[in-house]
Amino acid sequence: MVFGNVVSSQRGHLSPQQSLDLANIYLECAIKAQDADIALALCHDTEVSLFQAKKAVKHADDPTMRHGVGTAYIGLGRVLDKQGRISEAKTIYKKAEKLGVWVQDQLQVAQPSDLKSDASTFEGTVDSTMDTVPDRSQHTPSLRKHKQINDVATVPSHIFAENVRPTAIVAKLPEPDERLANTPLLACCLGLLNNLHEIEDIIEPVARNWLQVVENDEDEHERLTVLATDVIRTFKKEEIKDAKAVAEVVCLAPVIERDLFRDLLGSFVDGIDRANLLVLHQLQGLARLIQGADKGYLDADDLVKILSLLTTRLQSTHQQSPQHVYQLTLAASYVLDAMADTKVEGLDREALHEPLSMYLDALKGNAEPYLMYQAAYACQALLCVPDNETLWEATIRRSGKVIQGVSGLVSAVKGLDLNGFMDGLKNIQKGMAGASGVVDVVVTAFNGATSLTASGQCFLEGLKEGFSFKRKCAWYPALRGADTFIRDGEFSSFRKLVCEAPCRLDPAFQWGVCQRLGEIASNPVWDARTRRSAVAFLGEMYRNGEDWGHQVSVKEWILIILMQLSSSGSIQQYIESLLQELESIRDATNTAIFRTCREKDLSSYPLQVVLPSLASPSLLDRVQNKPDVEGTLRQLRKQRMKERGGNVVYIQPQAKAGLQASDDQHFPLQSKVFLLLGDSGAGKSTFNLQLEYNLWVNYSKTTGRIPLHINLPAIDKPEQDMIAKQLRRAEFTEPEIRELKTHRKFILICDGYDESQQTHNLYMSNRLNQPGEWNAQMLISCRSEYLGVDYRDRFQPGDRNQRPEPGQFQEAVITPFTPIQVLDYIKQYVSVHQPLWEAKDYEQALDLIPSLKELVTNPFLMSLSLEVLPRMVDPGEHLSAMQVTRVALYDQFIEHWLERGKKRLSEKELSPQAKAAFESLVDEGFTRNGVDFLKKLAVAIYKEQDGQPIVSYSRFKDEGSWKTAFFNRKDERQLLREACPLTRSGNQHRFIHRSLLEYSVALAIFDPYDWKERPLPVIGSGRRGSTSSTFSFRVRGFKDEVAASIEQEPDINSPLAWCYFVNEPSVLQFLCERVQQQPVFKQQLLDYIEHSKTDSQWRTAAANAITILVRVGIQFNGADLRGIRIPGADLSYGVFEAAQFQNADLRQVNLRSAWLHQANLSGSQMAAVQFGELPFLREENEVWSCAYSPDGKTLALGLSNGGIKVYSTLSWEPSQTLSGHSNVVVSVAYSPKGDQIVSGSLDRTARLWNVDAEICTHTFSGHSGDVEDVAFSPCGDTVASAGDDMTVRVWDAGTGDCRFILTGHTSPVWNVVYSPKGDRIASGSGDNTVRLWDVETGMSLRTLSGYDRPIWRISYSPQGERLASGDNDGTVRVWDVETGDCCRVLTGHMRGILTVAYSFQGDVIASAGNDNTVRIWDAETGACRQILTGHSGSVRCVVFSPRGDHIACGSEDNTVRLWDVRSGGTRQFATSHRRQVYSVKCSPHGGQIASCGQDESIRLMDVETGISRCFRAGHTDEVRTIAYSPRGDLIASGSDDNTVKLWDVETGVCRQTYTGGTSHVLAVAYSPRGDQMASGDNGGTLKLWDTETGACQHTLTGHTRGVISIVYSPTGNQIVSISDDRRVRVWNSESGACLDTLSGQMYAVMNIAYSPQGDLLASTSSDCTMRLWDVKTGECRQISIGHTKAVQVVVYSPQGSQVATGSEDGSVRIWDVGTQEYFHTLAGHTKGVTCVVYSSRGDYIVSGSEDMTVRLWDVTSGQCQTVVESINSSIQSIAWSTTSDVECFIIGCYDGSVRMWQVVEDDDACRVRLRWRSVNGSLDSKDTLIQGVHGLSQVNKQLLMQRGAKGEPFDRLHEASKKVTQMVSVVSALNQPSTGAALESAAANLDNDQLDQPEQQPIQ
């Protein structure tokens, strides 16, 4: 003891190892001490030393030291235990356990030699106290004294002697279509069908026989599936889901499809989530669903969601009953079991794992042992969820498909391999160890829980120690395996598992086994013998302590189970006998256990296996009482599939994202599309039919949506209940329709929206997917030309003012067939129809007939072409000479169809009467009779049905009506109907394709075959003085014919005279082609227009006629259109230069983008005329920024003079001016309330303005550079500014203080914008990036990269999930804000983008920039909807009005243009190039003009009419240059695609393609003889080509930079080329040798020209000079100096005596070649001259300039004869044309337009008038006279006046006021004494004023 005290005094200075060694010394002394007090004192010293060592262990990771200290604690505990200090020993053991050392492990390892003798003593001490029960004084010796526990337990052999299967629950399986008796029977049937292949070898005979009957009966299988589906859906709709309903659906759950199972699972989850109080049977149902789920039915996300819900409910039910907590814990256990099976990983430990683990751990303290057990089970499952252990996978995974729902009908199942499973359990037990290597599992009750109870612990405390909450234990997988054996009826395997499991004595395992035995005994599914075996097993576990241990908690649980089972059931007596036997055991412990159990409330102990019995009537009964819709659906399915079946040629179409998207941007069309658009014949109906067919084929395998094809024209008022109407047509009964409406879902395939002439939103008017209405998805097809601009409002769900949610509305436009699709179609067609031609013949025709290639991209025209082509080609005719048009194909098709019908009828057996009728038709001309029948029928359909294509004819109902003439049973009519391309369905008749109806009515309007003298009806006079409405011009009527006839007069009975075809684009297209082919029809249309001048009856015909002519491209320049009546006509894109419209009726005429230059509209009626745009705002300074107020009532502009001007949008007059900035205001923005404006300026400040007070409230100073942009936060409390100093600053709008300075950009920040929520700021910079910032912290969140140029402007979408940005390369990019990915790139601008904006609805994006245009993009598809032109300077800003109907654009041209984006026209009727024109050339004969441009196309235009055609299919990049061959039959073109192509002018066929170069081709030229062609490229190489063979004759090298021009000498023996290398080279065209190099230019050579004689060359240069070279000597004869800037153009006069040059200094100089002096300087252009050309006689010069003007000069006088303005674009090229003594010049412009002016020479002056112009969409009214125009709105008046119109329109209000004033003056004169002369004078004044009024035209 002295030694101990000495050591104790120095203990604090010992190392951990020294402390441990000292503790072991004390411990050895304590063990050897004989005196108990000494031993106790030594134990105290041991503990003190161990405490010191343990402290050190906690701070060091030393497993050896940790194990040593733990082992010493175990030894100390033994000594204390031996001394009888059980409580203290327990405390010590716990300390050892905390160090990872367990008492039971130490009992199994070798003891130190000096402790061996005491080990037995210690063990004996434990034995003597293990069965002690607290507070019980006596114990039965037989229960207290026992032998060593056996390794393997044994049970009597009669217990679970063999495997069994559940008793069959069905007496008779149903026959097909037989009513089912109950839901389990339904589950059984589906289980057999679903698992046929798994159980085919083990099913019972009764089941095998039933399967033989129904196995191949798809309808019966579908019926059973639908019944189960309906039961589930009925359950979901139940407001109160009682326990019996839950039992019924749980019964079905294992046999239903995955989607339906997940739907049911979601219903349970939602019900539990929404319930305020837990409903136990729903919770039980959820548990059973999860427990019985098939593999793959439960997703990891679903399980995590359910577990999260259960965890939340667990945490919120701590004060509820233990039953609720138990059921929640049980459900959580099943979820965790499933998660372990599906290997869920990545469980959020903080959010889910830890809270659930802590809650379950807290249940250790619960007073209910069954709850404690279930919590321990859930903990074990939770520990195994994120488990990747191979041993676990090998042991617990399911061994095969779970066969459920076939109870009693299978003889065996393939279950777990018992031996393998047992080995796996042993491996798990060995493998579950901690870092120290000590096995982390409770091995036996003998060494564990029992010792604790012997030490005086209560029953619950023992359970807490026995049940593991913190570490994985083997009993959990053992119980999972036991569940599998029980499920499969393998009870012998179950018995072996329980008896031999290594965790057999674990109390948790025994508790779980007892629970499962009780469930077996209580489940009536099992036979009585099996249930008695379960009871006997429980009794054996209670009695046999040697095999099962003596755990009191388990014994109590066994008694509770038996007592519950004894209350009811078929084996009640057997259980009672067992209980009596067990109670007879005379032992104090046994007596105490029985007494405790009888005192408990057994109902609180859950033991439920079977849910309540099914209700009567059950859900199934209610479902089966519904109408049998499936039978009718099957009939519909068979009928529709039969109609579509057979040999059908079908090519899956492709689609593009929108109407304006490129046809190249296509994707495969699938059934997800909502709105399907396409041209007539594009294949919409074919796709719809094929889609319906495919959906019916897969109907039984899908989710059950019923495909319903609805032909809209066949439905009366489809806007009301169209589904029911269609179902009635399909013979569904009303009860069936009600049933379908209530319980089924549809896919509606609505065809022919345009044919039904719909304007309603069918989705909304039919209330689809509204409560109590039809559940349906809708696909609706419509011709794209039928729709206007705002067409989406007719289709998208929801409020038109709100953008639909993503995925609610989709659209696609069917694209034309690709070449691959065309070839595939040809192959299918030849295979199916076996035509005269083979596939190769059709392919050859496509190659050689250029006009055919474009036609066959339309599927319907493709089918027509393949049918009629063989008969259209004459023998020996060369295919390349053919011109095939759309109308020609239809002509041939109709003729071919009728001839085929005639042949078919001739071979048919006809009645005598029919045969006579047929012969009569043949004698008269069968084909012509058929054509006449079709024409008359089409006319009647348009006249009587407004073009609605389906005619319903009932013999008795329609007798005597117009239909009788076509559909009666007379033989002739019946024969013609049979031969014509008509189809019939029931009593409904229609053309086989809508386009045939349109063709037929167009043929009735003009048929080239039968045009002859026609009787002219009497034309009545107009109704003078009519009081009809201003818009009452849509009147139809007919007049009687008279005998008089006039040759080639128009017909008042023509459909053109009574039906408006303005909105019938397909009919108009047929008629346009007739105009191009038949001059007589063109004259007829002009006659209609002329007739309308004198009689209003012709106004409809005239409106149709002029619409057709304008569409053809006929231009009415200088036309006399005075008094014409064309109300409602479409003159958009029409050209009416100097046209005379005086007193014309132009009401409701569409004049969008019309050319009205110098037109006279005086006195015309222009009410409701449409121009498509609003007046612009003119400022004195450049407009750099603009912003609408939130209410849209004002528009603020930021100007270049530093001012801010505010306009009222009601009057468009300025209302306020804010001054203060000293430099350009680059940005303005309104506050959210609209009461403040923030502005940013290049004066380095931002300012905050009070709008009402017009004062600056704050000046934000701090930027060290210019402020480039400002933005208001959505809540209005902060302002952000971006600056040149590379920062973004955030300001407090209230105080003006700077909150943040956001740094990170490495270049100036050009743009800043808040997100819609206001939590982020986005900034765009010159460092080519967009950065996202957190508003609260100022931190940078993300950087969006992908640009290689600066970001000029950015804009957030209204939802904030997208960000649009524009950059200097002309592209707009759309970004995903969350991911930072670039979603879309929008291309089209030709120069950098300065502004971009989202509409407030988010459906469109506007962008604008340095190319002076505004583009409107579809935000969803990326398609360009509109291109708005008109600005003459860069567009600096664009902003949408809050309603989204208008946009305002501010420009450097000092204007703000206001566009109506709703009327922006999806029809682009443009005949110009889409981009810059590079060159225009006149053909040698002068009758044709060719142009090429940046849009990769070549256009040919007729000189007389301007009608153009385009060569697009060829080059794949910009076409830089073109040249005519000397004969004019060929055109050569050079392109940036590195090729030269040779085109046939007549056919448009590409004759040859010259390749071989690797650089852009910049120049081409023909030799004078046409046998050779030269090309020059960007690499400095020239190539000489043989035009006959296409061979390259020579490759000429020498230039070091690009060859920009090539010229042949007049004789053709030489070629001159110029290059950017400042050299002029002369080449021999035959040998290719370089003859001379002309050098001397100081800078780049710009242009070159040969003199007509070929002896001189003129060249111009950037050095401001023009040089003349002697071709023979190569000497420079002259250097002409005079221009002050680069000389860009040089041209010789036709005689060669003069040279004209054009310069960037804006002047043209004329030089005398002989004197070498200039004699005229032609000044007037304000910018550089880009092109100069002499007239053919040399008396005039035409110059074009960058100032967007063309000037005509007199060469002799040097005077400017005329200036052509209103071009709105710089001039790129000019050519002169002379035809029929008419002198004209043609210009090509930067905006893509080509225009031709005629030079008109009067006596004393020379002027020009526009002959024609290509159409590119720009309204022009310069010098248009609008004097006295009636009905013109103030807005339209202002618009025209801004564009240069002159005169004052008629103002009714002003004139009425003037008359009243005059009448008052007359009355005053009468009331005053006056002379008669005065009265006469007053009256005369009044009369004269009235006479001065223009005569008003009568309104009919």
Side-chain angles (χ1 to χ4, degrees), residues 1596-1598 1615 1624-1628 1631-1638:
L1596 313 182
T1597 59
I1615 301 171
V1624 179
R1625 291 181 180 269
V1626 183
W1627 313 83
N1628 185 292
S1631 65
C1634 182
L1635 302 177
D1636 205 345
T1637 299
L1638 311 181

Side-chain angles (χ1 to χ4, degrees), residues 768-796:
L768 298 184
N769 300 311
Q770 298 296 314
E773 300 296 336
W774 295 94
N775 187 319
Q777 295 176 346
M778 176 187 283
L779 184 149
I780 186 166
S781 63
C782 178
R783 287 190 294 179
S784 50
E785 60 262 31
Y786 178 76
L787 302 176
V789 179
D790 258 347
Y791 64 90
R792 293 188 177 187
D793 292 339
R794 301 190 195 179
F795 303 100
Q796 67 184 21

Side-chain angles (χ1 to χ4, degrees), residues 1754-1769:
D1754 183 278
V1755 172
T1756 303
S1757 66
Q1759 298 297 311
C1760 179
Q1761 300 296 299
T1762 187
V1763 180
V1764 181
E1765 299 178 302
S1766 301
I1767 298 176
N1768 297 327
S1769 179

Side-chain angles (χ1 to χ4, degrees), residues 790 801 1174 1186-1196 1207-1210 1212 1230 1358 1397-1406 1414 1416 1428 1437-1449 1456-1463:
D790 258 347
N801 294 322
L1174 301 177
C1186 57
Y1188 272 100
S1189 63
D1191 58 8
K1193 294 182 179 180
T1194 58
L1195 177 70
Y1207 279 83
S1208 168
T1209 58
L1210 297 178
W1212 290 112
Y1230 272 92
Y1398 265 97
S1399 67
F1400 282 82
Q1401 292 74 29
D1403 56 337
V1404 295
I1405 300 170
V1414 179
I1416 308 297
L1428 309 178
C1437 55
V1438 60
V1439 62
F1440 281 89
S1441 65
R1443 293 175 55 189
D1445 51 348
H1446 292 88
I1447 62 171
C1449 311
V1456 176
R1457 290 188 178 265
L1458 305 167
W1459 306 90
D1460 184 347
V1461 292
R1462 294 173 303 179
S1463 60

Side-chain angles (χ1 to χ4, degrees), residues 396 416 421 476-486 497:
I396 202 60
L416 280 178
F421 185 76
Y476 170 70
L479 289 177
R480 297 294 308 282
D483 288 336
T484 302
F485 288 131
I486 295 172
L497 170 63

